[in-house]
Amino acid sequence: MAPGDDSNPASYIHTVQHLIERCMTFGMSMEECMEALAKRADVQPVVTSTVWKELEKENKEFFDKYKQWISEKRSASTS
């Protein structure tokens, strides 16, 4: 475990969730978020991926809109 080396797994997962939410404010994809958290917060990519996928399951409609927004944002920046 990295962020804060907390021995409480629930707290660690909550921290990773918060970091994912921060990545999302920058319009990052799951892959970009995994890379950023591995480099900057020492979070294993498998942990980021697992937490991200669970968030997707719980918030399907939000993530569908988020993915659409990222896609639109990227296509606008390449036009």
Side-chain angles (χ1 to χ4, degrees):
M1 285 191 212
D5 280 337
D6 219 273
S7 61
N8 180 348
S11 176
Y12 179 68
I13 290 169
H14 186 344
T15 299
V16 173
Q17 178 181 340
H18 176 72
L19 293 170
I20 289 170
E21 290 167 356
R22 297 273 305 174
C23 288
M24 292 176 78
T25 65
F26 294 103
M28 292 183 179
S29 67
M30 180 175 67
E31 292 77 14
E32 291 167 329
C33 183
M34 288 167 46
E35 184 178 327
L37 296 188
K39 285 182 183 176
R40 295 176 178 18
D42 197 30
V43 176
Q44 293 294 317
V46 69
V47 174
T48 303
S49 173
T50 302
V51 174
W52 183 292
K53 288 175 183 175
E54 285 301 312
L55 290 170
E56 272 187 312
K57 279 187 209 173
E58 294 173 15
N59 304 289
K60 182 173 176 10
E61 189 176 322
F62 170 81
F63 275 88
D64 288 345
K65 289 179 182 177
Y66 179 74
K67 288 175 187 175
Q68 181 181 357
W69 174 71
I70 288 176
S71 177
E72 291 170 1
K73 183 177 148 191
R74 294 194 176 166
S75 62
S77 68
T78 59
S79 298

